[in-house]
Amino acid sequence: MALRLIIFFIIIGLIELYAFQAVKTFTKVRWVLIAYVFISSVAIFFIGYQFTKFDRSVGQTKMTMITLGVLLLVLIPKLILTLILFLEDIFRIFSGTIYKLSGSTTDSFLPERRKFVSQIALGLAAIPFTSLIYGMTLGKYNYKVIKQQIFFPDLPDAFDGFKITQISDVHSGSFDNPEKINYAIDLINEQESDMILFTGDIVNTHAKEMLPWIDTFNRIKEYQYGKYSVLGNHDYGEYVDWKTEKDKDANFEAIKGLYGKIGFKLMLNEHTFIQKGLDKIALVGVENWGVKFKKAGDLHKASEGLTKEEFKILMSHDPSHWDAEVNKHPKDFHLMLSGHTHGLQFGIEIPGFFKWSPAQYVYEQWAGLYEKAGKYIYVNRGFGFHAYPGRVGIMPEITVIELKKGKSLV
């Protein structure tokens, strides 16, 4: 442990040294350098102090999210500065060696740092810095309504054109702006859908987080074919230390009750039929099942009595469930709806052209629509936010899925 701490402080020291050199090369104005050192010192002290105050029995709070936001604001730009100046140092060492071997009589072995390199480094570092600030102020409530048609040859005729609104990962304990949340509810209500599905994570950890928002979410209108939900990994309250198992169990029961308080039917490893005219489809809902998270979902129990031929929509919070179990299941689930990843709340998206996030190195299906052998999964990018108090590039999502009869046009 001691060796790890030493290595950690050495790395932090190098990052701070390189970042200061970039600023010093860019400007020699004394008050600017003093201000930089002061602000950096205050930020580092604040981060360190808040980490010592973290309480595992409480879990994430508004302050821990602010602390993570400050950490990213400080760390990522300085890492960029460090990388660029480190590469410059390699070039300087190489150049100095060549000069000495060629008989140069210059006094200094290393050439001086070039101002334009520091200018480039500071310019590049400003990009994530301003993006992170945007994400923490405006991006986290920049809701997007994403509409997606999905074609199925065996869709029952009556469901051709059937629309489903999906929300996921509300994380109500992170909210801090009632006006923005009411705006998002208005967006949900504006969609002309037949049914709404909520794929889990109503809170971060504690049931009490949702209590101030019950009336707000009760504004979600009624739907002709119902309002259904499943649990997400955060709904089990497993990311804090509880005084007793009884307290944890009571919190879990209260969280399950929250879905009913906002008018959603919570599905716990079960299915129901959605009837339209003479046709019907099966809606299946499982508890959380993730490759690296809680495996409470029981797909066999939830689909008991269903046939392979019946058209089935599955709600399962974690998209890793799709490849690990759902696609191998003999019942053939036509469409799975998930959330969980948030698209890591950070990335770049140009709709129809380009999509990237670090989330893709963890989850094969992490945002949007995916298809394998005529089966589909849609991964919602999330309604709320967690840990980092913002969103950069991957915006909060309200999905409207339209089921269509026929072969895919893709």
Side-chain angles (χ1 to χ4, degrees), residues 205-224:
T205 300
H206 298 94
K208 63 184 179 182
E209 298 166 12
M210 184 64 184
L211 298 182
W213 306 100
I214 295 292
D215 289 342
T216 302
F217 277 79
N218 267 324
R219 292 184 52 242
I220 295 177
K221 67 183 181 181
E222 295 300 319
Y223 287 77
Q224 183 177 356

Side-chain angles (χ1 to χ4, degrees), residues 123-180:
L124 290 175
I127 296 173
F129 183 80
T130 54
S131 297
L132 287 165
I133 290 178
Y134 165 81
M136 294 168 64
T137 54
L138 300 176
K140 62 184 178 181
Y141 293 126
N142 186 11
Y143 292 96
K144 303 296 182 185
V145 176
I146 298 180
K147 298 184 178 183
Q148 178 72 61
Q149 285 187 333
I150 310 177
F151 289 81
F152 301 94
D154 54 348
L155 179 71
D157 292 340
F159 287 88
D160 187 16
F162 191 84
K163 290 183 180 180
I164 301 168
T165 292
Q166 181 198 6
I167 59 173
S168 192
D169 300 88
V170 163
H171 289 285
S172 55
S174 302
F175 294 156
D176 57 11
N177 192 323
E179 182 181 349
K180 295 295 185 181

Side-chain angles (χ1 to χ4, degrees), residues 94-388:
F94 178 78
S95 299
T97 302
I98 296 296
Y99 289 150
K100 287 298 181 182
L101 290 176
S102 63
S104 172
T105 58
T106 55
D107 294 332
S108 176
F109 169 70
L110 290 177
E112 290 187 1
R113 289 198 180 278
R114 289 166 292 183
K115 185 175 181 179
F116 84 90
V117 174
S118 292
Q119 289 174 326
I120 292 172
L122 288 166
L124 290 175
I127 296 173
F129 183 80
T130 54
S131 297
L132 287 165
I133 290 178
Y134 165 81
M136 294 168 64
T137 54
L138 300 176
K140 62 184 178 181
Y141 293 126
N142 186 11
Y143 292 96
K144 303 296 182 185
V145 176
I146 298 180
K147 298 184 178 183
Q148 178 72 61
Q149 285 187 333
I150 310 177
F151 289 81
F152 301 94
D154 54 348
L155 179 71
D157 292 340
F159 287 88
D160 187 16
F162 191 84
K163 290 183 180 180
I164 301 168
T165 292
Q166 181 198 6
I167 59 173
S168 192
D169 300 88
V170 163
H171 289 285
S172 55
S174 302
F175 294 156
D176 57 11
N177 192 323
E179 182 181 349
K180 295 295 185 181
I181 303 304
N182 274 292
Y183 164 72
I185 299 300
D186 289 339
L187 282 179
I188 292 172
N189 288 336
E190 288 172 7
Q191 310 312 310
E192 297 298 324
S193 295
D194 300 289
M195 179 170 66
I196 186 169
L197 303 179
F198 180 177
T199 45
D201 278 0
I202 196 170
V203 295
N204 295 330
T205 300
H206 298 94
K208 63 184 179 182
E209 298 166 12
M210 184 64 184
L211 298 182
W213 306 100
I214 295 292
D215 289 342
T216 302
F217 277 79
N218 267 324
R219 292 184 52 242
I220 295 177
K221 67 183 181 181
E222 295 300 319
Y223 287 77
Q224 183 177 356
Y225 294 93
K227 302 161 75 171
Y228 297 91
S229 61
V230 292
L231 296 171
N233 57 301
H234 281 270
D235 293 329
Y236 294 85
E238 295 194 333
Y239 302 114
V240 299
D241 294 331
W242 295 92
K243 291 181 180 179
T244 66
E245 280 298 314
K246 184 178 179 181
D247 290 340
K248 180 181 177 182
D249 292 342
N251 182 68
F252 181 48
E253 292 302 316
I255 287 173
K256 288 192 289 185
L258 290 174
Y259 287 96
K261 287 182 178 180
I262 61 171
F264 282 78
K265 160 64 178 172
L266 181 61
M267 302 186 72
L268 301 169
N269 297 322
E270 59 188 289
H271 69 266
T272 188
F273 288 102
I274 308 299
Q275 187 86 33
K276 186 178 182 184
L278 299 177
D279 293 326
K280 64 181 180 180
I281 62 176
L283 178 65
V284 184
V286 296
E287 293 192 50
N288 191 81
W289 195 104
V291 170
K292 298 181 180 179
F293 290 87
K294 189 176 184 69
K295 296 177 174 61
D298 188 337
L299 192 56
H300 295 288
K301 178 182 177 183
S303 60
E304 187 176 359
L306 295 177
T307 66
K308 179 179 181 179
E309 292 73 27
E310 288 171 310
F311 191 92
K312 293 171 286 296
I313 296 175
L314 170 68
M315 290 190 290
S316 181
H317 177 73
D318 190 322
S320 66
H321 194 194
W322 197 52
D323 279 335
E325 188 177 50
V326 175
N327 270 343
K328 303 172 184 177
H329 199 276
K331 293 291 178 69
D332 277 357
F333 294 88
H334 295 73
L335 172 64
M336 175 170 151
L337 300 179
S338 297
H340 182 63
T341 72
H342 301 204
L344 210 66
Q345 298 169 207
F346 182 87
I348 302 170
E349 281 200 87
I350 304 174
F353 294 95
F354 183 75
K355 182 172 68 175
W356 175 88
S357 166
Q360 70 191 56
Y361 305 117
V362 182
Y363 292 92
E364 185 173 347
Q365 298 85 28
W366 59 275
L369 184 68
Y370 302 83
E371 181 268 340
K372 285 185 181 179
K375 302 173 186 176
Y376 293 87
I377 180 173
Y378 190 92
V379 184
N380 181 285
R381 294 160 180 83
F383 183 94
F385 50 93
H386 181 256
Y388 165 60

